[in-house]
Amino acid sequence: MMKRPHIDRILSLLLLLISAVTASAESGVKKLHGEFTYYGDKNESREQCRLQALQGARVQALATEFGTIVSQDTYQRETMDDRDQSTYFSSLSLTSVKGEWIADEGEPHFEYSLDTDGCYVVRCKISGTARAISNEAVEFEALVLRNGTERRHSDTRFRSGDDMYLYFRAPVDGYVACYLADDKETVYSLLPYQETAGEDVKIKRGRAYVFFSTELADREHGVVDELIMTSDGLERNSLYIIFSPKPYSRTLDMAGASMDAPRSLNREDFSRWLARARRNDPRMGVKIINIEIANE
């Protein structure tokens, strides 16, 4: 006797497939392909160049699909003159893409070579999914401060042994987190503080906060972690300040090797978490501040 095919199972699979395609279309998720060649310098390792090429390929794909926004980013550092009153400013025109990378599809493809000076040249080809960034994100003010807790101490260039603080102010009540990404594919969780890692850092609208300062600490945020920047040479790190009017789940990071070491995770896991968080919360704002630490 012939058996009837499992029509109900086939229909269920078709419905699931249609639902997945519909959900992807409604959320604006698109498949993208990117390619980028990064030319390193003598101070950059093969791994550092690989990461730059990977990021460049993603940015190239996003810019091609969603376009870019040109903005100004100001770098400030102290340069004392004969009267000890001079401050140096420089403005750098940055191009920001209007899309966010969600996830890779398959493994990125890399090609390595050396130029005539012996520096690495890395070519990366990548495929993945992405979507346009919502314009509902809340604007906020965030400044990195060096060796002082006032806005005039804003700086992005540190010497080994300098203290670092973070100035923050938002127009609405909400929640803030802060991460530091180094040049070795590791991301450290700086806020919430280590002793209160499982709690949210709540912010009141219009109020100015200075984090990592025991003198200006808000008791509601727990015991302060003071930050002293160190480097054996020249390091380029990125500070991620994340703010949203509503609570959001944070990264699944791991405790440091010692009580004083911040919690951490690898850059890829952090990037996936951040893309997912922004996709689920259109009002989430992210500011990235690039800093340098020199051993002088």
Side-chain angles (χ1 to χ4, degrees):
M1 183 175 63
M2 294 181 61
K3 295 183 179 179
R4 295 180 56 189
H6 296 288
I7 300 298
D8 53 345
R9 182 178 299 176
I10 296 174
L11 289 175
S12 298
L13 292 174
L14 288 174
L15 288 173
L16 286 174
L17 178 60
I18 293 172
S19 298
V21 172
T22 303
S24 177
E26 290 177 351
S27 61
V29 175
K30 297 184 177 181
K31 291 186 177 181
L32 304 183
H33 305 280
E35 182 177 331
F36 184 79
T37 301
Y38 181 76
Y39 298 87
D41 59 37
K42 293 182 179 179
N43 296 321
E44 292 179 301
S45 66
R46 173 179 163 131
E47 177 62 18
Q48 289 171 326
C49 293
R50 186 191 74 84
L51 291 174
Q52 294 287 356
L54 176 63
Q55 182 66 15
R58 290 171 177 166
V59 170
Q60 185 275 334
L62 292 170
T64 301
E65 179 65 30
F66 302 110
T68 60
I69 301 173
V70 177
S71 61
Q72 292 286 351
D73 197 359
T74 301
Y75 291 81
Q76 175 182 326
R77 63 178 177 181
E78 297 175 359
T79 53
M80 310 308 292
D81 58 15
D82 294 337
R83 294 173 297 175
D84 294 338
Q85 293 181 347
S86 177
T87 301
Y88 170 78
F89 291 89
S90 65
S91 292
L92 177 66
S93 178
L94 297 177
T95 301
S96 301
V97 293
K98 296 190 290 186
E100 59 184 354
W101 195 264
I102 297 175
D104 297 342
E105 287 196 348
E107 292 294 328
H109 175 72
F110 294 96
E111 297 176 3
Y112 301 92
S113 61
L114 296 173
D115 64 13
T116 55
D117 295 324
C119 300
Y120 285 105
V121 178
V122 183
R123 183 183 184 188
C124 177
K125 295 181 180 179
I126 193 171
S127 298
T129 54
R131 62 174 294 170
I133 293 177
S134 168
N135 60 0
E136 300 176 19
V138 176
E139 294 287 340
F140 58 86
E141 184 180 15
L143 298 172
V144 173
L145 310 178
R146 181 174 73 90
N147 291 339
T149 57
E150 299 181 9
R151 296 178 80 258
R152 64 186 177 89
H153 295 113
S154 173
D155 206 340
T156 58
R157 301 185 182 185
F158 289 76
R159 291 184 292 271
S160 188
D162 285 345
D163 296 322
M164 191 190 85
Y165 306 97
L166 176 65
Y167 174 91
F168 183 89
R169 191 165 62 92
V172 297
D173 293 350
Y175 304 84
V176 65
C178 179
Y179 295 86
L180 178 69
D182 67 12
D183 55 2
K184 299 179 179 64
E185 206 172 358
T186 301
V187 179
Y188 297 95
S189 176
L190 304 183
L191 278 178
Y193 295 129
Q194 300 306 305
E195 189 171 290
T196 55
E199 301 178 12
D200 296 322
V201 180
K202 298 180 180 180
I203 296 300
K204 296 186 181 297
R205 65 182 180 89
R207 178 178 172 183
Y209 294 85
V210 178
F211 293 103
F212 313 118
S213 167
T214 54
E215 180 183 355
L216 302 177
D218 189 318
R219 293 184 179 180
E220 294 181 357
H221 298 154
V223 178
V224 175
D225 296 323
E226 297 179 294
L227 299 181
I228 300 176
M229 311 307 287
T230 60
S231 173
D232 295 328
L234 177 63
E235 291 187 16
R236 296 180 176 91
N237 298 341
S238 298
L239 201 69
Y240 288 74
I241 301 96
I242 303 167
F243 175 78
S244 177
K246 65 179 185 179
Y248 50 91
S249 60
R250 291 189 301 277
T251 57
L252 185 62
D253 47 30
M254 302 293 290
S258 67
M259 293 293 294
D260 297 331
R263 302 179 67 84
S264 65
L265 69 162
N266 66 63
R267 186 185 289 267
E268 286 300 305
D269 288 342
F270 174 76
S271 298
R272 284 193 290 267
W273 166 81
L274 184 56
R276 183 171 61 252
R278 296 185 72 181
R279 183 172 65 248
N280 295 334
D281 182 0
R283 299 201 67 194
M284 175 178 286
V286 179
K287 184 171 185 179
I288 304 173
I289 302 177
N290 297 312
I291 61 176
E292 291 185 356
I293 311 167
N295 184 13
E296 298 179 357

